[in-house]
Amino acid sequence: MNTDKPLLAGLVDSGACLHDASTFDLADFVENAVEGLHRVGPDGTILWANRAELHMLGYEWDEYVGRHIAEFHDDPATIDYILATLLSGGVLYDQPARLRCKDGSIKHVLIHSNGHFEEGRLRHTRCFTRDATERHERDVALAQRDAMLLNAPVATALLMGPELRFHLANRRYCELVDCADLLGRTFDEAFPRLSGSGVTGEIKRVFATGVPYHAEELALTRLDADGQPHERYFKFSLEPLAGADGRPEGVIVVAVEVTEHVRSRQAIERAHRERERLLVDLSAASQAKDEFLAMLGHELRNPLSPIVTALQLMRMRGDGAHGREGEIIQRQVDHLVRLVDDLLDVSRVTRGKIELKVERIALARVTAKAVEMASLLVEQRRHQLQVEVEPGLEWEGDPVRLAQVVSNLLTNAARYTEPGGQLWLRARRDGPDALEISVRDTGIGLAPEVREQVFELFFQGKRGIDRAEGGLGIGLALVKNIVELHGGSVQAHSAGRGLGSEFVVRLPLRSAALVLAPAEPLPAVVAAGAPQRVLLVDDNADGADTLGRLLRAHGHTVEVYYDPVSALAALERFSPTVALLDIGLPVLDGYQLAARIRARPSGQGCRLVALSGYGQAADHARSQAAGFERHLVKPVDPIDAARVVAAAPPTD
């Protein structure tokens, strides 16, 4: 593209001297300037353009010079404004315009222009054209950024410059901070109460370091409509905004209110803490309950022990204890013992500590034992009981516990059936590998909503004011637990209130995963053995005296003491071969007394037997660890006590 001749001609037209060296220097300067330059006549015709102008737009000289400037402007309104301004003597500076290039593209430019007037008339205009494409793209990008921030679905603001002035703040941000007049103000000016706070400090730090900041739950206190302080929580983000040169230009602030989320989480955490506290309280209450039941069992067993022993002595003397009155007393004592056992079983049920002693036995023997155990209540309420047991049916399990199950079902049926009612006990095979035991009655029946509740611990149906039904509300819970330990199930059926009930137990014929334990029946008569010197220590005088008389009746020499101090004082003189020690003694408990006896020469060969109202596995283990040979649970079976005393000492 050769424009030298036209440029020189233009300079001649302007009155320049061709022989003046400075004129040629000027021509060379303007022709080769990096800025686009052109001259336009008063009618808008392009009179001249330098190389930079032509190169920027892609035209040759004759394609550009001599044409009206409007042919190259994409916006007619803009060129009209430019021409009108210049004709009126105005000056243009950084006037944005869009020029059409030869290839059809649009070039964004900035125009600086003023007019050359002679005798008040516009001779031509001097125009400088600067390529502003990058600036335009940057402006578009900034505009898009601002539009995005303004339309963001969360509260957003843009702080610019080292003063951190609000360049923009969208509607959500203004609503969040309850302030609409933010633009142009610094953060400190807009929120003077936060001046010097952690928020202001973090914004300044992000601007200075370029390191973003994020807070998941930033707490801010504001006054509500009533002037009361109200704490609100925000998810707060500060992102640095850097310029093209990498230097900080501003900070983008994004805030999301999470007050409700935090309140919900705090409520859940409070509920969790409350739950943990309740669990601790429940655990403590459960432990206290177990301790109470164990203590209650102990206290009940203390008076039962001398009664049982006294009955045995009466039988041994043959003084009428086998009459009807003696039988009544024995049945009532047996009933009390079962109630105490049930109380102690409660804690075992809750902790799954019931142990089964499995053996093979005829089911008829189990049901007969259960009927015997429940017979007292059945007779008292004048019920008619029909028993049907499939002949020859054998079962493998714990016969004592199954008898307890059936007895509890019969007792429950008797309690909740009006006097003179009907009871049925049936046991039969249920398929090749199972059996079914059912107890049915004509009693008050069960409402649908309580059919499952009846197996809950301490649940009792509606009672009359006289509590004629009796019971502790633990029998059916024990039934369910014992049956499930054997791998079976129990269900309650009833057509409704007043229509009777039926409880059906289904059990496998063989109790899987259980080891058969050999039966250990106690001998009815104690075999005679070598007479023993027995030291009996128990603070329950009646219990100690009756057990002492029983052992003397079996030929033993017995000394009874009610306190450990007196027993220790007699130790050297008496030299006992067997010591029966109550664990719950005053001053020194049974464990401490046993240690004192073993520490003395006269007690080296003495066999130790523990007497206690506590009979759980832990109690037996503790006695064994303390050196006791046996642990007898009150009320002590007289025959068992006599057998233990008469037994030969264990060999090492």
Side-chain angles (χ1 to χ4, degrees):
M1 182 185 300
N2 187 355
T3 60
D4 291 344
K5 187 175 180 180
L7 174 59
L8 292 174
L11 291 173
V12 171
D13 291 342
S14 302
C17 180
L18 295 175
H19 303 287
D20 189 350
S22 63
T23 300
F24 284 101
D25 290 340
L26 176 61
D28 181 69
F29 175 78
V30 296
E31 180 64 28
N32 294 290
V34 295
E35 290 276 355
L37 301 172
H38 64 281
R39 183 182 296 149
V40 180
D43 62 351
T45 301
I46 301 173
L47 302 176
W48 167 83
N50 72 348
R51 285 195 183 108
E53 178 91 4
L54 295 173
H55 179 73
M56 179 175 59
L57 301 176
Y59 294 104
E60 298 293 334
W61 173 273
D62 55 359
E63 292 173 333
Y64 191 66
V65 178
R67 295 179 179 276
H68 197 281
I69 190 67
E71 295 181 29
F72 303 97
H73 276 264
D74 188 58
D75 188 353
T78 300
I79 189 57
D80 289 344
Y81 169 76
I82 292 173
L83 293 174
T85 301
L86 295 173
L87 284 170
S88 65
V91 177
L92 297 173
Y93 181 79
D94 273 354
Q95 171 63 45
R98 296 184 298 167
L99 298 180
R100 281 190 293 271
C101 300
K102 184 178 179 178
D103 62 5
S105 63
I106 300 298
K107 182 75 69 175
H108 290 269
V109 299
L110 295 175
I111 296 174
H112 309 295
S113 185
N114 58 16
H116 174 69
F117 290 83
E118 293 180 358
E119 297 179 356
R121 293 178 61 188
L122 179 65
R123 176 76 182 272
H124 60 262
T125 63
R126 297 176 287 265
C127 300
F128 297 80
T129 308
R130 178 178 298 168
D131 189 349
T133 301
E134 291 185 0
R135 176 175 173 176
H136 172 74
E137 291 175 349
R138 184 188 65 192
D139 290 343
V140 170
L142 293 177
Q144 291 175 343
R145 178 203 67 190
D146 291 352
M148 180 187 68
L149 296 179
L150 285 171
N151 295 297
V154 295
T156 308
L158 177 57
L159 304 171
M160 298 296 291
E163 301 88 0
L164 297 172
R165 295 186 181 277
F166 279 97
H167 174 71
L168 65 82
N170 67 2
R171 178 180 57 83
R172 291 182 180 272
Y173 187 88
C174 294
E175 291 174 350
L176 189 66
V177 299
D178 194 22
C179 182
D181 185 19
L182 291 173
L183 300 185
R185 302 166 67 185
T186 67
F187 191 86
D188 287 340
E189 290 171 348
F191 306 108
R193 55 189 173 80
L194 295 178
S195 180
S197 69
V199 176
T200 303
E202 288 298 338
I203 295 176
K204 292 179 178 179
R205 184 189 62 79
V206 171
F207 181 83
T209 64
V211 178
Y213 169 79
H214 301 284
E216 291 297 321
E217 293 179 8
L218 180 67
L220 294 176
T221 302
R222 293 186 56 191
L223 299 180
D224 59 20
D226 299 327
Q228 298 299 317
H230 179 66
E231 195 169 46
R232 299 167 68 183
Y233 295 88
F234 300 90
K235 188 174 183 179
F236 194 66
S237 297
L238 301 175
E239 293 289 342
L241 182 66
D245 58 358
R247 294 181 180 179
E249 286 189 347
V251 176
I252 299 175
V253 181
V254 179
V256 179
E257 184 165 10
V258 292
T259 301
E260 292 303 319
H261 168 76
V262 173
R263 295 275 188 263
S264 299
R265 180 181 55 76
Q266 289 174 341
I268 293 173
E269 290 174 350
R270 285 195 300 271
H272 181 72
R273 289 193 297 270
E274 180 67 15
R275 175 180 173 275
E276 292 297 321
R277 188 187 65 79
L278 288 174
L279 287 176
V280 171
D281 291 345
L282 286 173
S283 177
S286 177
Q287 182 178 355
K289 178 261 298 177
D290 288 344
E291 292 174 356
F292 167 75
L293 292 176
M295 178 65 71
L296 180 61
H298 177 271
E299 294 302 321
L300 290 174
R301 279 174 165 170
N302 270 330
L304 282 174
S305 191
I307 296 174
V308 171
T309 307
L311 281 172
Q312 180 65 20
L313 283 171
M314 292 168 65
R315 290 193 184 94
M316 292 175 65
R317 290 198 300 265
D319 55 359
H322 290 292
R324 178 170 175 79
E325 291 79 7
E327 293 175 359
I328 292 174
I329 294 173
Q330 186 66 58
R331 282 199 302 269
Q332 294 295 341
V333 169
D334 291 344
H335 180 64
L336 285 174
V337 170
R338 286 197 301 273
L339 286 177
V340 172
D341 288 340
D342 282 352
L343 279 173
L344 295 176
D345 279 342
V346 170
S347 62
R348 299 188 186 106
V349 165
T350 56
R351 295 177 296 142
K353 296 296 184 180
I354 289 183
E355 298 178 357
L356 301 181
K357 296 181 179 179
V358 180
E359 61 182 272
R360 186 181 301 280
I361 191 170
L363 193 62
R365 290 181 57 189
V366 177
T367 55
K369 179 64 175 177
V371 170
E372 178 186 350
M373 293 165 64
S375 61
L376 177 63
L377 184 60
V378 173
E379 292 174 3
Q380 286 178 342
R381 297 181 68 82
R382 305 186 307 282
H383 294 316
Q384 296 182 11
L385 173 61
Q386 296 184 16
V387 180
E388 297 180 12
V389 180
E390 182 177 325
L393 182 57
E394 290 192 342
W395 174 72
E396 184 181 296
D398 188 327
V400 174
R401 289 299 183 182
L402 184 58
Q404 183 182 10
V405 166
V406 179
S407 172
N408 284 358
L409 292 177
L410 287 170
T411 300
N412 183 75
R415 284 175 181 159
Y416 291 97
T417 300
E418 293 295 327
Q422 289 281 113
L423 309 180
W424 292 267
L425 168 61
R426 292 188 173 89
R428 63 181 181 84
R429 188 183 298 272
D430 183 19
D433 302 316
L435 63 86
E436 178 184 281
I437 301 173
S438 66
V439 174
R440 183 164 62 90
D441 61 63
T442 58
I444 63 175
L446 295 171
E449 63 271 13
V450 302
R451 289 176 191 166
E452 292 300 324
Q453 289 180 273
V454 294
F455 296 107
E456 294 178 2
L457 198 58
F458 301 120
F459 176 82
Q460 293 180 327
K462 188 176 181 180
R463 302 259 178 134
I465 195 170
D466 59 351
R467 287 186 55 86
E469 299 85 358
L472 301 173
I474 59 178
L476 293 181
L478 288 172
V479 166
K480 184 175 186 292
N481 188 267
I482 293 171
V483 169
E484 290 179 349
L485 281 175
H486 282 88
S489 64
V490 59
Q491 292 181 327
H493 304 282
S494 176
R497 299 290 294 180
L499 299 177
S501 305
E502 183 178 21
F503 289 81
V504 180
V505 173
R506 288 181 174 84
L507 290 167
L509 287 175
R510 293 176 58 87
S511 298
L514 295 174
V515 180
L516 286 175
E520 296 183 0
L522 292 177
V525 179
V526 177
Q532 303 291 327
R533 294 189 305 280
V534 181
L535 178 69
L536 176 56
V537 187
D538 192 340
D539 60 333
N540 185 324
D542 288 341
D545 291 340
T546 52
L547 183 57
R549 288 196 296 271
L550 175 73
L551 295 176
R552 292 188 189 101
H554 283 279
H556 304 296
T557 302
V558 182
E559 289 195 8
V560 177
Y561 296 94
Y562 309 133
D563 67 274
V565 176
S566 300
L568 285 173
L571 190 64
E572 297 298 332
R573 173 186 56 79
F574 186 53
S575 296
T577 57
V578 180
L580 275 67
L581 309 179
D582 180 28
I583 296 299
L585 292 170
V587 184
L588 295 174
D589 62 30
Y591 303 119
Q592 295 169 322
L593 178 57
R596 298 283 183 92
I597 292 175
R598 281 288 167 86
R600 296 191 179 188
S602 56
Q604 292 294 318
C606 182
R607 295 164 51 214
L608 301 177
V609 178
L611 304 175
S612 176
Y614 301 103
Q616 300 190 36
D619 304 311
H620 286 266
R622 186 177 180 187
S623 294
Q624 184 177 9
F628 285 94
E629 177 185 313
R630 289 289 302 274
H631 183 103
L632 300 180
V633 180
K634 298 178 180 180
V636 177
D637 187 310
I639 295 178
D640 193 22
R643 181 166 57 87
V644 169
V645 170
T651 58
D652 294 334

